[in-house]
Amino acid sequence: MTDLKSLTLKELEQETAAMGEKPFRARQLYGWMHGKLAAGYGEMTNLPKSFRQKCQERYGYTVLRAVRVQESRIDGTRKYLFELEDGDTVESVLMRYKHGLCVCISSQVGCRMGCRFCASTLDGLERNLRPSEMLEQVYAIIRHTGERVSNVVVMGSGEPLDNYDNLLRFIELLTDENGLHISQRNVTVSTCGLVPRIRQLADRKLQITLALSLHAATDEKRRSLMPIAERYSLGELTEVCAYYFGQTGRRITFEYSLMRGVNDSAADADLLAALVGRLNCHVNLIPVNPIRERDYVQSERKAVDAFGGRLRSRGITVTVRREMGRDIDGACGQLRRRYRDGEA
Ligand code: SAH
């Protein structure tokens, strides 16, 4: 079945033309879906009832319902668990920063990448999310808060580049001037490093930020944490990152989750500096968010500071991710699992 909310305005015009409607109807419908963020056809009062009914019968309407909303008492971060039409659930997070609201969305239900420290991947991949289901995570949060969202990061559950076509369509719709019109520069896509896809994305020359989950500075250590490292070496990764910068002019963000005794030593920092030092990049250090199924432990504050300091002394820009929502299952995939297991 065609999903109207995943169509571009042009495609929607074709679809409604096939229904015998004038092009301006498509524009109105698109405006209701992506501009006014209507939760259903019932709200679209300037469209004829018969047209709305036909749409409902032929296409249905993609909308997400929040089944859990948890708010952090520490920093106001909100975690949403949304139910999809097929009854499965996805997690999204709303974070408040000085420069505005940021929504973190999921790109798949589950994940097949198998990173050792991540809760989203424990049961493998359930399915890809459609563009409309990615958009709806943002839309439903805006409807719930009534506030503007300035940034969107695709850093929730799933590997966005493993759902490549839907991801690109999602970005197109999210940044479209007839929709929310979020600037490409305010969109970040995080990947575990699917090299051919990164190359393809680079050639699109979008102005989004690419975040690359590195977590280790040698192939051997990375392989012990991330199965994807069996497929692509760090050499290939850094090469494609340089290519991405060349094509887009956008500085890469390397994400590095610090795990005590695993990847947080001075030697690890030196290897990391040597690996990325020559790239136009920025390193984001993340204290690992321990999940109950694995025994990774957060690096001590001192170790995080020392690690960052060592990188900085080699001229690398470093930020330490502020931990947000620690009290509300902040790490990807945790809330969905607890809900499914009847614990949340
Ligand atoms: N699949 C994508 C995006 C989802 S995860 C990717 O791999 O980048 C977003 C980020 O959170 C990634 O850097 C991921 O490695 C990291 N991450 C996952 N589980 C984590 C945990 N328990 N603690 C800290 N970071 C984690």
Side-chain angles (χ1 to χ4, degrees):
M1 193 166 67
T2 304
D3 175 13
L4 291 186
K5 214 183 253 189
S6 291
L7 300 182
T8 62
L9 179 56
K10 253 210 181 92
E11 292 167 337
L12 192 63
E13 278 169 357
Q14 287 163 2
E15 194 68 31
T16 50
M19 292 167 79
E21 295 288 338
K22 299 234 159 55
F24 76 92
R25 286 276 176 247
R27 199 165 265 282
Q28 285 176 313
L29 179 55
Y30 189 94
W32 276 111
M33 290 193 288
H34 302 288
K36 302 198 188 95
L37 314 184
Y41 293 111
E43 295 176 24
M44 306 181 187
T45 42
N46 63 349
L47 292 177
K49 251 205 166 112
S50 57
F51 175 59
R52 289 190 262 156
Q53 245 159 18
K54 215 158 38 171
C55 288
Q56 180 65 52
E57 282 159 19
R58 280 198 198 175
Y59 308 100
Y61 192 79
T62 302
V63 65
L64 299 187
R65 194 173 64 90
V67 288
R68 287 287 181 280
V69 182
Q70 301 183 337
E71 180 158 346
S72 165
R73 277 185 295 249
I74 307 171
D75 51 35
T77 297
R78 274 200 211 131
K79 186 138 196 177
Y80 291 82
L81 189 71
F82 289 114
E83 190 174 54
L84 304 161
E85 286 132 280
D86 56 11
D88 221 323
T89 54
V90 286
E91 293 175 29
S92 322
V93 183
L94 170 73
M95 290 163 286
R96 294 177 182 278
Y97 291 101
K98 270 191 242 97
H99 58 264
L101 297 192
C102 176
V103 170
C104 172
I105 67 147
S106 296
S107 55
Q108 296 178 316
V109 184
C111 182
R112 58 180 179 148
M113 295 298 134
C115 299
R116 296 281 305 158
F117 44 82
C118 181
S120 304
T121 199
L122 291 167
D123 299 310
L125 176 68
E126 198 65 48
R127 71 169 173 91
N128 282 327
L129 290 180
R130 303 194 301 269
S132 61
E133 293 169 322
M134 293 189 243
L135 289 165
E136 257 299 312
Q137 296 173 57
V138 182
Y139 295 178
I141 288 177
I142 296 177
R143 286 196 295 266
H144 184 252
T145 61
E147 292 175 78
R148 247 179 64 91
V149 164
S150 51
N151 290 70
V152 173
V153 299
V154 189
M155 283 192 187
S157 293
E159 167 49 49
L161 299 190
D162 190 35
N163 186 14
Y164 184 80
D165 293 340
N166 286 343
L167 174 80
L168 280 194
R169 193 175 266 271
F170 159 74
I171 295 171
E172 183 177 349
L173 292 167
L174 183 73
T175 57
D176 182 33
E177 58 180 0
N178 298 303
L180 284 186
H181 202 191
I182 290 178
S183 154
Q184 282 186 10
R185 289 170 169 266
N186 293 346
V187 177
T188 297
V189 171
S190 176
T191 177
C192 65
L194 305 184
V195 170
R197 292 300 194 191
I198 297 174
R199 188 169 294 275
Q200 234 178 318
L201 186 64
D203 290 335
R204 300 292 293 245
K205 297 188 196 290
L206 299 179
Q207 285 302 296
I208 61 171
T209 299
L210 185 69
L212 203 128
S213 303
L214 211 49
H215 308 318
T218 65
D219 282 313
E220 192 190 355
K221 192 167 285 185
R222 196 161 187 268
R223 282 196 293 262
S224 73
L225 295 170
M226 305 172 72
I228 192 69
E230 308 276 355
R231 226 177 324 150
Y232 307 109
S233 68
L234 287 170
E236 289 170 291
L237 263 188
T238 48
E239 191 193 317
V240 84
C241 286
Y243 183 75
Y244 189 90
F245 178 79
Q247 288 292 78
T248 63
R250 301 288 292 162
R251 198 170 66 149
I252 305 277
T253 298
F254 287 110
E255 296 166 277
Y256 194 100
S257 293
L258 287 161
M259 297 164 232
R260 190 187 301 181
V262 175
N263 63 357
D264 64 347
S265 71
D268 290 313
D270 291 346
L271 286 165
L272 179 60
L275 182 71
V276 304
R278 250 175 289 171
L279 293 168
N280 275 292
C281 71
H282 147 232
V283 173
N284 192 212
L285 299 176
I286 314 166
V288 78
N289 219 324
I291 61 171
R292 103 162 58 134
E293 293 80 359
R294 301 274 188 265
D295 45 13
Y296 294 109
V297 179
Q298 277 195 356
S299 303
E300 289 179 64
R301 186 73 223 182
K302 268 196 312 212
V304 176
D305 291 343
F307 198 96
R310 243 180 136 83
L311 294 176
R312 282 192 197 100
S313 73
R314 284 158 176 76
I316 295 169
T317 320
V318 181
T319 46
V320 177
R321 185 174 302 172
R322 255 203 308 145
E323 274 188 90
M324 299 181 87
R326 263 307 293 284
D327 51 338
I328 54 165
D329 294 324
C332 320
Q334 291 190 125
L335 177 59
R336 173 169 170 261
R337 287 179 65 76
R338 290 194 36 217
Y339 178 76
R340 192 202 54 193
D341 298 342
E343 296 174 19

